[in-house]
Amino acid sequence: MSSHLMSTYNRQPVTFVRGEGARLWDEAGREYLDALSGIAVTGLGHAHPDISEAICDQAKTLIHTSNVYGVLWQSRLADKLAEISGMESVFFSNSGAEANEAAIKLARLFAHQRQIENPLILVMETSFHGRTLATLAATGNPAIQKGFEPLVAGFLRVPYGDLEAIERMAALHDNIVAVLVEPVQGEGGVRAAPEGYLRGIRALCDQHDWLMMVDEVQTGIGRTGKWFGFQHEEGLLPDVMSLAKGLGNGVPIGACLGAGKAATLFAPGNHGSTFGGNPLVCRVGHTVLSVIERDQLVSRAAQLSERIRSGLRAVFAGQSAVLELRGRGLMIGVVLDRPCGELVRLALDERLLINVTAGSVIRLLPPLIMSDEQADDLVKRLGDVVLAWLDANATQVTD
């Protein structure tokens, strides 16, 4: 790697030069199975023909004009997102962090319209919302906040999954204006919201006139077996939703959606983005949604999830070191009883791409287009790597 790159990543010792579907090839021509999807980004896999065609055609037609003018594909994508989500308005950005920044600004606007001068947003422990200054402050991970103090003020933290903790905060603070929550905490250990939790937050937001803001950056666009993670609780609709990752299949795009009292909070001059929502990224986003709809990939994600989970349950049956399989849809966490970061490198040696989060949770985020055979291969490769590692660790302990 170039010595001129800033040292912001602990990169694995491999460089990929080509991809197709759920497979990648490195500089030496070695093939890998991708069970990470660029961290929940390439839901349609690599080099998808429809996406490639859309990029090439739009690049030859029009890439950028700015938001001073109308953008045809931006309007089309906004309409499509509203149709599948039930939300009413959309602001386009370039990333998930920017989408969450927009959500935070909406909460601040909402507060000041109510004459609340020092508004507070309730956020969750072990959450992740981004690395900009505001989203870093909203994130529930002290390790990544260290060194960037003083953090942006205005956030109160409560345990994830604990409705009573939210109620206690409501009794203590009359300047709370919003709750920001992930339907599944990806970086926080692939922890899915308990049944009824999001509905309970919706009820508390209605009771106290707060905004319910749902971070769907990782959970959105079919990954959980629904278009959006909040849709696992029937009839629920948030006031604000943030998207990114899978919406662009690798092309940088984010979106902040509003409904109800949040739909019309922004006025001209309140917010903006030079690149956000340009013709290229919005055409790609629209194509992503069309392909998922055409190929029924939302239901396919649910089917793949069950196949992979049942396979892993069989492989790890009787292994006391494997504590739990958790998550939702194609967000799968294999929880071990010990730190397991070295498994990322060991899996790479077996030509399998995985991730470890929260120290001891193997995170799998395979593409929605993975075949049954590839799903079975994923289970076998991961099982072989983990079981061999556990055996080696057991031997070392005995010695």
Side-chain angles (χ1 to χ4, degrees):
M1 298 299 295
S2 171
S3 62
H4 297 289
L5 293 169
M6 287 190 180
S7 300
T8 51
Y9 306 105
N10 287 317
R11 299 181 193 267
Q12 293 300 307
V14 64
T15 299
F16 296 113
V17 296
R18 183 168 68 90
E20 181 181 339
R23 299 176 296 164
L24 286 163
W25 286 265
D26 67 14
E27 294 173 299
R30 291 181 290 253
E31 181 182 326
Y32 297 74
L33 181 63
D34 187 358
L36 193 56
S37 302
I39 313 181
V41 170
T42 52
L44 300 185
H46 304 284
H48 191 286
D50 292 82
I51 303 303
S52 299
E53 181 181 352
I55 291 171
C56 292
D57 185 63
Q58 193 60 42
K60 292 186 295 184
T61 306
L62 183 65
I63 292 179
H64 179 77
T65 60
S66 90
N67 287 300
V68 173
Y69 313 103
V71 180
L72 177 62
W73 282 105
Q74 190 179 117
S75 295
R76 289 176 176 174
L77 179 54
D79 290 347
K80 189 65 179 176
L81 285 170
E83 175 191 330
I84 62 176
S85 69
M87 305 296 282
E88 299 171 46
S89 61
V90 187
F91 171 83
F92 288 107
S93 62
N94 307 285
S95 68
E98 289 182 50
N100 282 327
E101 286 273 349
I104 292 166
K105 288 182 73 173
L106 282 172
R108 293 279 182 94
L109 272 177
F110 177 66
H112 289 296
Q113 286 185 3
R114 297 171 57 201
Q115 285 76 53
I116 297 175
E117 294 186 2
N118 296 298
L120 297 173
I121 299 173
L122 280 178
V123 292
M124 308 302 152
E125 294 174 2
T126 63
S127 63
F128 184 85
H129 300 293
R131 293 179 183 270
T132 60
L133 285 176
T135 58
L136 186 70
T139 290
N141 184 344
I144 68 169
Q145 295 169 337
K146 187 176 181 180
F148 299 104
E149 300 88 353
L151 298 176
V152 174
F155 300 97
L156 282 175
R157 210 167 310 285
V158 295
Y160 186 65
D162 189 342
L163 286 173
E164 291 183 358
I166 298 177
E167 292 174 337
R168 288 194 296 270
M169 285 296 185
L172 293 171
H173 302 276
D174 61 3
N175 55 337
I176 296 170
V177 297
V179 179
L180 177 60
V181 63
E182 300 161 278
V184 181
Q185 289 191 331
E187 298 293 330
V190 198
R191 302 171 66 216
E195 185 176 353
Y197 179 58
L198 297 181
R199 187 175 301 283
I201 291 177
R202 175 72 274 176
L204 287 170
C205 287
D206 290 341
Q207 177 184 340
H208 296 286
D209 195 21
W210 300 340
L211 296 181
M212 180 181 182
M213 308 198 302
V214 179
D215 181 341
E216 295 264 9
V217 170
Q218 191 165 148
T219 52
I221 319 300
R223 177 146 297 277
T224 67
K226 299 281 186 180
W227 273 113
F228 307 103
F230 76 81
Q231 292 174 333
H232 287 276
E233 298 209 20
E234 190 174 346
L236 180 70
L237 189 70
D239 300 298
V240 180
M241 175 174 69
S242 54
L243 298 173
K245 288 187 179 289
L247 181 57
N249 208 63
V251 173
I253 184 173
C256 179
L257 286 73
K261 53 196 171 189
T264 58
L265 282 170
F266 277 151
N270 284 152
H271 199 41
S273 171
T274 297
F275 298 111
N278 73 40
L280 178 66
V281 299
C282 284
R283 177 159 180 192
V284 172
H286 191 277
T287 304
V288 167
L289 299 183
S290 297
V291 169
I292 291 175
E293 195 168 52
R294 180 195 71 196
D295 296 346
Q296 300 181 335
L297 294 179
V298 175
S299 59
R300 174 61 177 164
Q303 295 164 4
L304 270 173
S305 171
E306 183 49 41
R307 188 180 189 96
I308 294 170
R309 289 169 193 273
S310 62
L312 292 174
R313 282 192 291 267
V315 166
F316 295 134
Q319 290 290 327
S320 61
V322 180
L323 302 179
E324 183 184 0
L325 286 180
R326 66 188 184 200
R328 182 160 286 145
L330 290 179
M331 292 182 70
I332 300 170
V334 183
V335 186
L336 301 185
D337 66 353
R338 65 199 74 179
C340 59
E342 63 185 300
L343 286 173
V344 175
R345 176 64 182 276
L346 294 174
L348 188 67
D349 291 341
E350 298 302 318
R351 311 289 184 259
L352 175 66
L353 306 188
I354 64 168
N355 178 239
V356 167
T357 188
S360 59
V361 182
I362 302 166
R363 177 168 51 167
L364 302 176
L365 301 163
L368 281 59
I369 50 81
M370 183 173 270
S371 69
D372 287 349
E373 293 75 18
Q374 289 170 332
D376 295 343
D377 190 19
L378 187 168
V379 169
K380 183 180 187 309
R381 292 195 206 191
L382 182 65
D384 289 347
V385 168
V386 173
L387 294 177
W389 179 73
L390 290 173
D391 286 344
N393 281 355
T395 302
Q396 291 168 7
V397 171
T398 301
D399 292 343

